[in-house]
Amino acid sequence: MSGVGNERLNCPKIGSACRSSTPDESHVWQAQLGFDLMSACADAIKRRFGDGGPSGDGVAENEFIHRVLSRKTVRRYSDVMPSDGLLDLLVAAALSTSAKSDFQQASILRVTDPVQRAAIGKLFPSMPWIGSSPVFFVFLGDARRLQRIGELREKPVRNGTLEGFFNASVDAALAMQTMILCAESAGLGVCPISVIRNEVEKVAALLGLPDLVFPVAGLCLGYPQSEGYVSLRLPRQVTTHRDRYDDSALPIVIDDYDRRRDELHAIPREQQRSNAEFGEAAFYGWSEDKARQAAKAEGAAFPPYLRAHGFSFD
Ligand SMILES: Cc1cc2nc3c(=O)[nH]c(=O)nc-3n(C[C@H](O)[C@H](O)[C@H](O)COP(=O)(O)O)c2cc1C
């Protein structure tokens, strides 16, 4: 776990601080303690998927992987402000992420001005955590820097291409995910915020974003106020493939997933989407919810914004 936050972390199964160990050491240590620590990961996999799939048998205990398997998005935070030192550490870790061609096209903007925070929050009243979380970062795809470097070095860099956009987007997304995992390892809770792209003109104006720089997502961050729950993922039967892509089992697997997810966390009747259009569903599972959500296209403002701000997507 070195380099990912706390050196001393909670051991999942025994609930006390424990040290990292090499694979060899780990086996000895497990034997000394008299139980199989890997079963903690197997339990976490079962909770995450419940699909009867592989459980990582025979692999040495790994606290970091256990933490990732058990992670969850947090949208309610205590008033405690994470220290500047910790935030600096998280930013440095995020920027240590691998970057396409070493172009380093992610930028991170922290919104600290309360007036700006309130203005952004006001744009999204259905997600109050955007305005109220103790910390709010915006992860930016930054195709501008490379373009400027081309100008500095008098080379014909044209970075408003689809490749430039995609590379910058991936860099920013990877940096955000690195911050997410590091923040969670330090006891923080986070929520990525891509809804800011639905009001990209207004958000970009508030943040003073120049051409070729665009928001990939915001990130709310703070100490969790409540426990939350681990969200059941799709069965690995449809999300993993070996040698050849094969989704032939999709209908039956999705039905089963819907049923199992509903048993754990049913979507309340009053949260059914677009009933006027699609009618009230007797059984409203994950797939019905996602199909209804995706039927209403989101992000219409984003392509024209990008085209007006330096991207040709050639
Ligand atoms: C790129 C990205 C954008 C997201 N945007 C939002 C958002 O705008 N608002 C929000 O409340 N949650 C947002 N989320 C959080 C997802 O809803 C959440 O990850 C998903 O429901 C799965 O839950 P889990 O992370 O707890 O497993 C986003 C997540 C990602 C990865």
Side-chain angles (χ1 to χ4, degrees), residues 45 48-51 53-54 232-251 253-254 257 260-261 286:
I45 288 179
R48 171 66 78 195
F49 298 98
D51 60 3
L232 195 71
R233 287 292 190 266
L234 286 166
R236 287 165 288 173
Q237 209 179 338
V238 293
T239 52
T240 66
H241 307 269
R242 186 168 290 201
D243 298 326
R244 288 184 70 81
Y245 188 94
D246 176 8
D247 65 354
S248 53
L250 186 77
V253 169
I254 294 295
Y257 174 67
R260 287 187 293 108
R261 191 165 162 144
W286 174 87

Side-chain angles (χ1 to χ4, degrees), residues 48 71-73 75 127 129 176 191-195 231 233:
R48 171 66 78 195
R71 61 155 306 281
K72 46 204 164 193
T73 289
R75 298 184 177 86
M127 297 187 186
W129 44 94
M176 181 173 77
C191 181
I193 302 293
S194 61
V195 80
S231 161
R233 287 292 190 266

Side-chain angles (χ1 to χ4, degrees), residues 67-115:
R67 190 178 294 279
V68 173
L69 288 166
S70 312
R71 61 155 306 281
K72 46 204 164 193
T73 289
V74 170
R75 298 184 177 86
R76 290 177 206 279
Y77 312 93
S78 80
D79 293 334
V80 179
M81 179 61 86
S83 71
D84 281 347
L86 177 55
L87 296 177
D88 290 343
L89 201 60
L90 294 178
V91 168
L95 293 172
S96 302
T97 308
S98 48
K100 163 75 172 83
S101 292
D102 201 17
F103 284 150
Q104 306 186 44
Q105 296 191 89
S107 288
I108 303 174
L109 189 157
R110 183 177 164 201
V111 185
T112 56
D113 176 5
V115 178

Side-chain angles (χ1 to χ4, degrees), residues 269 271-297:
R269 191 169 286 263
Q271 282 178 22
Q272 292 193 10
R273 294 176 204 257
S274 311
N275 276 4
E277 194 177 345
F278 299 116
E280 190 176 310
F283 175 72
Y284 190 89
W286 174 87
S287 64
E288 179 69 22
D289 185 55
K290 293 303 138 191
R292 289 184 181 207
Q293 184 178 1
K296 286 212 174 346

